[in-house]
Amino acid sequence: MKGNPAGASSTSSPHRRAVLRELPLLLLLAALAAFFSLRVHGFSNAVNIGSIGRDTAIIGAMGIGMTFVVITGGIDLSCASILALSSSFMAILMQRTGGIVFPVAVALASSVALGAGNAFLVTVLEAPPIVATLATLSLYRVQAIQTVTLISDLPAGFRALGTGVGSFGLFALALAAGLAGLSRSSFGRHVLAVGGNLQAARLAGVRVKRTIGWTYAISGLCAGLAGLIASAMLNSVQGNMLMGYELDVIAAVVIGGTSITGGRGSVLGTAAGAAIMAVLRNGLIVAGLDVYWYQAIIGVAILVVGGADKLAARRMEAA
Amino acid sequence: MRLVREIAKYRLGAVAVLIAVTIWFARTPHFFEAETLFGLTRQYAEIGIVAVGMTLVIATGGIDISVGGTAGMVSMLLGFLAVGHGWNIWAALGAAMICALGIGAVNGFAIARLGMEPVLVTLATMSLTRGIAYVLTQGTSLSLYSYDSFRAISSTDVALPGVSVPTPAIILLVTVAVAYVLLRQTVFGRQILALGQSEAAAKLAGIPVTRAKFQTYLLLSLLAGLAGALISSRSATAFADAGRNYEFEAITAVVLGGTSLSGGEGSLIGTLIGVATMAALRNGLALTGQSDLVRTQMLAVALIAAVVIDNARKKLIRGGSNT
């Protein structure tokens, strides 16, 4: 019922379908960008395009991790909170020691650990992903707010990560790792298999719980990475930074064509979805619309794309 | 025998947690004072009303995290129409409730008819409803202080023989009673429980699965809207943030009360006990001077604890029926 799981990527037709799937996304992205640059003054200047690029990198980096989680049939609502908390640890260390490498290492390590916390709740305590990560969404966020109110003026060397080149480099790295991890490694095949049919994957010898657990750790790591970009870009860390961005990320993943029921997903699609969300967020704000409109529009976007996906799947099933 | 086991395994679990929380805070001054308890009742009646609807949705195997947003939207619409546009407050209330039903219809249609995942759909409508609530007045709140009759809903008591009970508590008890009858005594209730057990089997048995699911989400959004109205009445304010964290508190109360997140069962009495537990926890934490932030964390811990208890219970029952 959920499509054929393992081995789906080795035949040619899903490949063609994947390309076809990406094409409308790029067209949509181009159309949105064209619309905003024609209608909204100041949308297409260099500064703004740079900020769209960095927004894409932040949402996209988190989205790559989220894609793995969603393919297993899970969800990670805590990603933006992990971003804030791991960045908070980093900022405190930077303030105390003045170093860069060690604080960054701590940020990444702690983001993996926080993701592992989700993995523990989901695989060992067997909490439904939505409930587990709803709980950690607020646990981690509150911890971040209690750890850091505002630390600004981060070391100059670190701020290079927030420049166009730096943030694009980090994002490209994550994208390459995500692409290779999903389609070229046995881990990626296990992730797809678990999401496609859990029982079949188990019978085929896939360590289901371990695979699922790792996806949450990866999502944590990606959030940590996005945190580096965000704090370098803002030149500050706040406990309440990027609150609510998990919705952008989920929307990017869903728009990118990853099925929320699991078993099917595209890292490239997520990257395109992230760019669409960044253009949308940015265009509406530059146009002078309330940022709250954007929140309402994300909701509609998720509903429309998710619904269209369901209808298309049903038609394919009937054919 | 089976009945005893059932009761022992879930209703009493919730009672035990309630007693534990109460004992933990028993020495805190003012914990049992009537005034505190009455204030608490008014507030937790709102959460309880949402939790009742949530019990039904969870019984179908679904979940709805848009309830807090819906409450916020109703609260803000009330102020927007009544204060901003000079509508009669009751007409405004009616219009706001119709919008709440609209959200329920979107949830129900996407989940029941299109077969979308409840998590995704209600996440989207959560964002949508909060967005609408903020957009209406750019986030400023509006005072409803001058509407005496509307404020009275939440501030008055109903005099029963012997005691006077806060009106919201009466509304909650009526809601529980209606939902109880609905779940236990009607065809609709049977359908909900059956489709929560196995949707495929229910469909084969000729149960109108789509309709039953749709109606359940519709009902929950209506109750969430009602909670939003009560919040506005109690605080005499229309504000976009009304109902923040309600999805959290309601789901925790339902799971604490022994309704399994995997669907197919629903205990309304358990939910009521779960809500009382949440209220006791809040009361204790507030009186011991804990900040709102800590309370939010405790809420998260309580939710995880509830799920762990639920899983343990499921294993117990499974183990029991195997031997």
Side-chain angles (χ1 to χ4, degrees):
Chain A
M1 254 174 76
K2 286 179 184 169
N4 63 328
S9 57
S10 60
T11 57
S12 76
S13 101
H15 257 311
R16 208 178 314 138
R17 213 184 298 148
V19 173
L20 281 178
R21 169 86 218 186
E22 250 58 280
L23 194 64
L25 274 183
L26 295 178
L27 288 178
L28 176 63
L29 178 60
L32 274 176
F35 174 78
F36 281 121
S37 47
L38 284 177
R39 302 297 294 271
V40 178
H41 185 71
F43 177 80
S44 53
N45 69 33
V47 177
N48 196 47
I49 288 180
S51 97
I52 293 176
R54 283 187 292 262
D55 254 0
T56 306
I58 293 168
I59 298 172
M62 282 194 275
I64 290 165
M66 180 81 81
T67 306
F68 280 84
V69 172
V70 170
I71 289 175
T72 66
I75 199 162
D76 182 2
L77 295 180
S78 72
C79 59
S81 300
I82 292 182
L83 181 154
L85 185 51
S86 63
S87 301
S88 298
F89 291 146
M90 177 186 74
I92 284 187
L93 283 173
M94 281 181 173
Q95 203 180 33
R96 296 221 176 119
T97 66
I100 296 174
V101 176
F102 178 61
V104 166
V106 167
L108 293 177
S110 62
S111 66
V112 173
L114 295 170
N118 286 332
F120 174 77
L121 294 176
V122 172
T123 59
V124 180
L125 297 186
E126 295 176 4
I130 176 78
V131 172
T133 59
L134 192 65
T136 52
L137 160 82
S138 76
L139 269 180
Y140 294 164
R141 178 62 73 178
V142 168
Q143 203 55 52
I145 292 173
Q146 285 174 332
T147 309
V148 167
T149 317
L150 169 69
I151 292 180
S152 49
D153 277 331
L154 302 174
F158 174 71
R159 293 212 299 269
L161 291 178
T163 59
V165 178
S167 58
F168 184 77
L170 278 183
F171 176 53
L173 203 72
L175 189 61
L179 279 172
L182 188 61
S183 54
R184 305 234 172 253
S185 75
S186 59
F187 172 72
R189 277 192 295 278
H190 289 174
V191 169
L192 286 163
V194 166
N197 188 332
L198 199 132
Q199 293 304 335
R202 180 172 286 142
L203 290 175
V206 175
R207 295 182 174 206
V208 170
K209 284 198 171 182
R210 186 175 293 186
T211 307
I212 293 176
W214 272 112
T215 62
Y216 287 93
I218 290 172
S219 179
L221 178 64
C222 288
L225 199 68
L228 298 184
I229 302 174
S231 1
M233 180 183 98
L234 300 166
N235 188 22
S236 67
V237 167
Q238 280 179 287
N240 61 3
M241 69 197 288
L242 272 66
M243 220 156 159
Y245 262 62
E246 61 276 355
L247 278 170
D248 294 61
V249 176
I250 291 166
V253 170
V254 172
I255 289 174
T258 296
S259 161
I260 200 84
T261 39
R264 176 166 63 82
S266 155
V267 172
L268 265 185
T270 297
I276 290 174
M277 296 317 286
V279 165
L280 210 56
R281 180 182 270 267
N282 200 279
L284 292 173
I285 291 171
V286 175
L289 268 181
D290 234 304
V291 72
Y292 302 121
W293 274 110
Y294 176 68
Q295 201 181 349
I297 287 170
I298 297 184
V300 175
I302 294 179
L303 282 176
V304 169
V305 174
D309 199 46
K310 269 287 168 204
L311 285 178
R314 194 173 294 175
R315 197 153 298 164
M316 213 176 274
E317 228 163 72
Chain B
M1 213 34 226
R2 195 187 162 77
L3 188 74
V4 173
R5 205 167 66 208
E6 293 274 292
I7 289 174
K9 272 170 199 162
Y10 61 104
R11 305 273 163 76
L12 287 190
V15 175
V17 177
L18 176 58
I19 292 173
V21 171
T22 312
I23 290 176
W24 178 261
F25 289 115
R27 281 174 308 146
T28 314
H30 311 300
F31 187 78
F32 291 112
E33 240 166 53
E35 201 163 320
T36 339
L37 292 181
F38 268 49
L40 212 60
T41 307
R42 287 183 212 284
Q43 184 181 356
Y44 269 82
E46 295 150 7
I47 290 169
I49 288 167
V50 175
V52 167
M54 189 70 82
T55 308
L56 300 186
V57 162
I58 289 180
T60 70
I63 200 161
D64 185 348
I65 47 184
S66 71
V67 287
T70 303
M73 186 186 74
V74 163
S75 171
M76 209 60 244
L77 272 172
L78 259 176
F80 179 74
L81 294 173
V83 181
H85 287 77
W87 285 35
N88 176 291
I89 185 81
W90 301 109
L93 179 62
M97 292 306 280
I98 288 172
C99 291
L101 273 177
I103 295 299
V106 170
N107 285 341
F109 180 79
I111 294 165
R113 188 78 182 76
L114 297 181
M116 288 171 71
E117 285 288 295
V119 169
L120 188 69
V121 171
T122 59
L123 205 58
T125 47
M126 174 186 84
S127 190
L128 175 65
T129 46
R130 274 288 175 227
I132 293 174
Y134 276 103
V135 161
L136 284 176
T137 62
Q138 275 75 48
T140 38
S141 45
L142 301 167
S143 169
L144 299 174
Y145 197 77
S146 54
Y147 301 98
D148 288 330
S149 56
F150 177 68
R151 274 196 300 128
I153 308 177
S154 169
S155 57
T156 49
D157 296 334
V158 173
L160 296 180
V163 279
S164 62
V165 183
T167 314
I170 300 286
I171 300 178
L172 171 62
L173 290 177
V174 171
T175 312
V176 170
V178 170
Y180 189 90
V181 171
L182 216 52
L183 192 62
R184 299 273 161 228
Q185 309 286 332
T186 69
V187 175
F188 175 63
R190 296 274 154 215
Q191 290 172 344
I192 287 179
L193 292 171
L195 80 89
Q197 285 278 355
S198 163
E199 197 169 326
K203 212 170 265 176
L204 289 176
I207 290 173
V209 169
T210 308
R211 194 178 65 198
K213 261 189 175 177
F214 181 84
Q215 288 170 344
T216 314
Y217 283 94
L218 208 59
L219 182 64
L220 175 52
S221 288
L222 190 69
L223 292 174
L226 180 60
L230 287 174
I231 297 169
S232 315
S233 164
R234 174 169 54 86
S235 58
T237 321
F239 59 114
D241 228 17
R244 171 80 62 198
N245 277 344
Y246 270 37
E247 60 281 351
F248 225 119
E249 304 222 22
I251 294 170
T252 310
V254 172
V255 179
L256 266 181
T259 296
S260 166
L261 277 170
S262 38
E265 56 179 30
S267 161
L268 287 157
I269 309 297
T271 295
L272 211 52
I273 298 169
V275 171
T277 311
M278 302 300 290
L281 193 62
R282 187 205 171 91
N283 191 20
L285 288 173
L287 289 174
T288 46
Q290 299 293 350
S291 71
D292 239 28
L293 285 177
V294 174
R295 210 180 65 74
T296 312
Q297 270 186 325
M298 291 304 293
L299 212 60
V301 173
L303 179 54
I304 294 171
V307 171
V308 171
I309 292 172
D310 176 42
N311 282 337
R313 182 175 64 80
K314 258 186 282 184
K315 272 186 194 140
L316 252 172
I317 291 176
R318 225 182 292 142
S321 58
N322 280 348
T323 49

